[in-house]
Amino acid sequence: MPRRSPAWTYDELVLACTLVVDNGWRELRENDRRVQELSQLLRRLPLHGTAAEEIPSFRSVGSVSRKTTDLATNRSDYAGKRTKGGKLDLAVIDAFISDPARMRKAASAIAAGIATGELTQIPEQPDEVADDGTTTAMEGRLLMRWAIARERSPKLRRRKIQDVRAHGSPLRCEVCTFDFERFYGELGHEYIEVHHTLPLYVAGPRETRLDDLALLCSNCHRMCHRNHSGESWRTPDELRACIQTPVRLTDEQG
């Protein structure tokens, strides 16, 4: 059995920093009910496995209180003595300073997903972390996991395709207009990916509507989720605005 608690993840820090921000960027003590409730919530997050739960100090009330101190004292304009916060602490602090409303919504969505049980039942998704092992979304790994799982739902994909067909529209990418069947023939028949146009911190845990989904080719779908300049979620319209003038390669270049 491991003796030390695992390092804090981005998602856990988002939840802890929400308490700090709501408390006027001040630390919270162990006897604070909010710290006690967060300790219980953190122990339920599907991030560290069951082995961590056997460690008595794992996200204990005391450890949560100490983490709120790290977050409160490492803000750039803090005038007192700072505790030893890590790079991830600073990243979350910066995220809350730059867009507090967005980060609060992310924390609420994570808590709601745990409360309903939906987040605890979703297995890890290959694309929920970047190639360097970091989270791919400003809102955290768990919301990205939840969103990817929804997008890959065969039932939702089938319903979206049926809806598009019923309206007489072709199955092609809503960004670049790529048509798999037209390009690959029978092999590409009814192949298309679906993208959730609303981030989960906006949509929340409600049931996904067909209007929330867009049809995309594989490349455009990855670009919609690519973490760049602090953004990791784009609508088809936003991605379409990024498209540059196509460059045709000559025989010599290709």
Side-chain angles (χ1 to χ4, degrees):
M1 182 180 72
R3 297 180 180 179
R4 298 185 61 182
S5 293
W8 282 69
T9 65
Y10 187 93
D11 299 74
E12 293 172 307
L13 291 172
V14 167
L15 293 168
C17 199
T18 299
L19 291 191
V20 175
V21 173
D22 289 344
N23 199 44
W25 281 101
R26 297 187 302 271
E27 63 185 324
L28 292 89
R29 300 300 185 183
E30 294 183 29
N31 60 356
D32 193 304
R33 175 181 54 81
R34 293 169 293 178
V35 171
Q36 297 165 3
E37 291 176 350
L38 179 57
S39 172
Q40 296 175 5
L41 174 61
L42 293 176
R43 292 179 64 87
R44 295 167 57 198
L45 294 183
L47 289 170
H48 300 292
T50 56
E53 298 174 6
E54 299 176 4
I55 305 173
S57 61
F58 172 61
R59 303 305 179 258
S60 64
V61 172
S63 69
V64 173
S65 175
R66 288 191 295 274
K67 182 51 66 177
T68 67
T69 302
D70 292 339
L71 294 167
T73 63
N74 278 276
R75 198 172 61 159
S76 59
D77 60 352
Y78 183 74
K81 184 178 179 180
R82 302 176 188 272
T83 58
K84 188 178 180 180
K87 291 183 178 180
L88 209 52
D89 294 352
L90 298 179
V92 171
I93 291 171
D94 288 343
F96 270 90
I97 291 175
S98 64
D99 199 341
R102 176 178 180 176
M103 300 309 294
R104 275 197 181 99
K105 288 179 180 178
S108 296
I110 293 172
I114 297 299
T116 62
E118 187 172 354
L119 254 180
T120 60
Q121 299 172 11
I122 300 173
E124 290 187 18
Q125 303 293 316
D127 298 331
E128 68 184 53
V129 294
D131 293 338
D132 60 2
T134 60
T135 182
T136 60
M138 182 178 178
E139 298 78 33
R141 179 175 181 175
L142 289 177
L143 291 187
M144 177 60 75
R145 176 185 301 179
W146 198 355
I148 292 172
R150 284 189 175 188
E151 290 181 343
R152 290 178 176 169
S153 165
K155 181 180 178 180
L156 274 179
R157 180 180 175 277
R158 184 168 57 252
R159 287 176 55 205
K160 181 64 176 179
I161 289 176
Q162 290 173 346
D163 182 67
V164 171
R165 289 294 197 198
H167 286 83
S169 302
L171 288 183
R172 64 186 182 191
C173 178
E174 295 181 25
V175 174
C176 70
T177 72
F178 185 83
D179 186 321
F180 282 91
E181 184 171 10
R182 184 175 180 182
F183 194 85
Y184 294 107
E186 182 62 25
L187 178 63
H189 178 64
E190 289 203 346
Y191 182 84
I192 197 74
E193 296 187 6
V194 295
H195 173 61
H196 206 295
T197 59
L198 288 177
L200 274 172
Y201 75 88
V202 174
R206 67 169 173 79
E207 183 178 353
T208 301
R209 305 180 184 125
L210 293 183
D211 288 344
D212 296 336
L213 302 174
L215 299 181
L216 299 180
C217 70
S218 309
N219 285 343
C220 288
H221 196 187
R222 293 300 293 267
M223 289 297 101
C224 277
H225 284 297
R226 191 178 188 211
N227 194 356
H228 180 69
S229 300
E231 291 296 331
S232 56
W233 203 289
R234 296 166 189 84
T235 66
D237 287 342
E238 290 169 338
L239 184 63
R240 196 178 301 112
C242 297
I243 295 179
Q244 305 296 305
T245 303
V247 177
R248 291 184 176 275
L249 295 179
T250 64
D251 292 339
E252 291 78 11
Q253 291 174 313

